[in-house]
Amino acid sequence: MTTCGFVRSCAAIKGVSCGLRGPRSPRTRSRATLLAVSAISTCMLEVTTASGGMAGRCNTHFTNALTFPIPGRGLALSWAPPRSRVAGGHALAVGGHLVGAQTFLQSGERYDTKVFDTATGAYLKRFGVHYWWAIANTWTMNPYLGEVIADGGGDHAAKVFMADGPGTDLGAIQSADARGRYAIEDGAIPGIIAAYGHGSPGLANINAWITGLAFSPDGSYLAGASKDGSIRIWQITDTLHPEDQFRVVKVFYDPNFGPTLSVRWSPDGTRLAASSRSGHVVIHVFDPVDTRWDEGTIVAFEGVSAAHEFDWLNANLPLVADAPVWQRSESGAIWNVRYSPDGVYLAAAGDGGAVVFDLSADDGGTAVLPEGHGLDFSPDGQFLAVGGGDARVWVFAAASSALPVTPYDVLQGHTEAVVSAVAWSPDGATLASVAGGPLLGDAAFNQSIEGDDDHVRLWTPAESAGVECMPSSTTTTTAPSSSTITTTTSTTASSSTISTTSTSSTTTPTSSTTSTTSKGGGKPGAYPGFGYLTTGGRGHPTFVVTNSTDAGAGSLRDAFAQAERAGGGIIHFAVSDSGDIHPGPNLIVPPNTTVDATGSHITLWGGNESFGGGVLGVWNSNVILIGLRVRDARNDGIQVAPKNAAGQDIANIVIDQCSVTRSADGGIDVTGHDGHSVSGITIMRSFIAGSGRYCHKGLCGGGSLFKYGASGGSYYANFFFGNLERTPEISGAGSSMPVVADLRANLVEATQSSAMSVRSGASANITGNFFADPRDGARLWPPAQAYFGGGNTDQNTDVSPAEHLSVPLPVPAAPAMFSRTDALRAGAVPRDSIDTCYLDVPAPSFSKLQAAPCDATNTP
């Protein structure tokens, strides 16, 4: 190997052979033919400080803050996504296996994905769903499935389960048949059993180990890497070709590529990078319209026999029609590939070295380590972590115009050579690592290292003199025993990011709660907009609804009663019956409560509520509703109003991903009451349809009313369809305080009367909304004021300029802009037949005062 030192590219070194030039930019949607690449020799640069860190010191910028046993061998790491329901969002999924004398523990744990609380190291649960190693996993908040963990194993199967499911019983496995259990009661998603079970349609043709899994950035597709040399793409979305949901819609295959070990989507979701056991790194283009298979090929592939590992190649299917648009070859297996968050760099870690490619340049890659295994960019792109082959984790500074090859810290603590997986937490505050991973042999492909380092290590920022780096071949650090959890508290920084101003050892911690507010100021919470202070049931007990009765043990009403006695709570659903709840009057959410029905089939049906109330009442402060379906209300679907017994104002309410249809008055109404106000409201990603008709008051309502003492409301990426009016209506009538609202990226279709409106002294930002017809557009009714941003239909041809604000109103915790696609996906997930019915109804079929056609009245 040529010793080159740290340089921007190997092209700068005379006499060194560099990689073949590829396309100029990875963002060009080119369908170029396969690049003629043969024995490309990328300059493999030795790290000048390979014997140990910066000036021989390790752990100078990070400390090993927590170490906990797995148990078993760790092969894959995935952090809980933001707003996770597991361990307050502080959880980590670890995939792996047991070897040798550990083949079966007393508890029966062997080939599974385990979940740990990263605040304490506590072992929470496991999903024992494989018959052989659990090699790959990914944990995500999927818009179509909810919060899920997908994992893949040596049993040729990929499976998906609800992350907050109970998991497999931690008791002893009684027989070999219990291995590979994939049961609904453990958290398996019922609708995906057929698609993700071994030997089932959709995955019947996975004929080798699943070595890598990755959801596309928008959650529409799942890509899988397999030892059989293929890259498969399963459709997850039900919005495009619903008949193909959970089916393989594309395969990339090249017989010369070798066993595929890793796959990752580009940040824009248009490309897939993959690596192989044979040392190849490729990038493929995937376009849901132009490059996905035709329906005939999808059906033909699904029917191919799985009797032999490569039988599907003999069916003469056009599986090799799409060549990579970019390719490089290195020496030795390439275990992992990762895109930088901006998509400019692609890192690859393998036996022959860890290399970073600048995809916007014409030159070859720059090596950062002689050997690499685990690999991950920090979420902000500041750092690149590489699990070395020397029992260390190497951290490189990546925030510069040059390739990320500047050593920043060397993390010493593992006792086994191969650091097989590293993963940054979503906030960038913690780096997880695990050692002792696989050496998948060419022949058996099931070899592994045996050792005593069956632990996860968590690293957090901390400035210190560090420790002396030990020689790479040995280490004197002793791993804790399997019953010990060790913590380090020395000067651990609480920052979520570290900003570097140079390549020296100086760092500047920044607050983990860095404000993302606009002129409105304020400290953002988990949700954007005026509801940013809402915490719901965080820190309170969890209560589970087990049946669909209106009252009694296991009911939703009983769970509310328990939460109220506890001062708050988190409500989950594990209902095995129909899930159709017919609540009587005054089903009221207690204060400090989160009701999370994500991924369930829970529907609250109207008909029994009082004429002045709602099917569900939010009459108290600090409430979060997620994933509920509310149908056929004779008044309001969800009513947010200060009607609590204490007679107090209420504040801090979030309604997210709910479906509310065919309410006689308001779908989601937010109003003051008896002189008391409601404020701090965020309503987002909800589907509000078919509401407003004749009710007990006469001609009633529509999508959402914000009036009578309501102030401070945010409506983001909601889908208003076929409502009488109020999509939404922001009104200052009956309010003693200024009424301000922020309306962004809402989609409005088929409104029967007046649509989005601001009136009676209220003020609003109307920014980037989407209207199917000019009649759906926004309207000011003087006296009122509004700032009109781009993407709106402004119906105000006769309004004075004074009522059109020249600058936007200040809003706390303003969000990143949502897209029209986000609004199209609004509502509870997965969608049921009623939501699908509305989405299939052509907008012109609605006429004034026509009843909504999709809600078949459901009676007890």
Side-chain angles (χ1 to χ4, degrees), residues 345-504:
Y345 300 118
L346 181 69
D351 292 344
V355 185
V356 179
F357 299 98
D358 183 345
L359 297 175
S360 66
D362 288 334
D363 51 25
T366 298
V368 296
L369 274 184
E371 181 179 353
H373 293 266
L375 188 67
D376 201 21
F377 278 97
S378 61
D380 60 2
Q382 294 286 314
F383 298 105
L384 172 66
V386 181
D390 58 357
R392 298 185 176 116
V393 179
W394 290 75
V395 180
F396 297 89
S400 67
S401 59
L403 283 171
V405 295
T406 304
Y408 182 75
D409 205 355
V410 180
L411 310 183
Q412 179 173 283
H414 284 293
T415 60
E416 294 186 31
V418 176
V419 179
S420 48
V422 295
W424 293 94
S425 60
D427 61 2
T430 306
L431 176 65
S433 62
V434 64
L439 292 178
L440 303 180
D442 287 315
F445 213 81
N446 61 358
Q447 303 168 5
S448 73
I449 301 173
E450 287 201 50
D452 60 356
D453 196 1
D454 296 349
H455 292 77
V456 171
R457 295 181 183 271
L458 301 182
W459 308 87
T460 57
E463 294 302 305
S464 70
V467 298
E468 182 179 355
C469 292
M470 304 304 295
S472 61
S473 59
T474 61
T475 177
T476 60
T477 305
T478 302
S481 65
S482 60
S483 62
T484 303
I485 296 175
T486 60
T487 61
T488 303
T489 58
S490 59
T491 62
T492 301
S494 60
S495 63
S496 63
T497 58
I498 298 292
S499 60
T500 58
T501 56
S502 68
T503 58
S504 70

Side-chain angles (χ1 to χ4, degrees), residues 32-37 254 282 323-325 327:
T33 56
L34 177 66
L35 296 173
V37 179
D254 180 345
V282 297
V325 295
Q327 179 168 325

Side-chain angles (χ1 to χ4, degrees), residues 28-33 271 285-287 289-291 322-325:
T28 303
R29 299 179 62 84
S30 169
R31 291 170 175 79
T33 56
R271 295 178 177 232
V285 167
F286 176 71
D287 187 303
V289 176
D290 293 338
T291 61
D322 300 271
V325 295

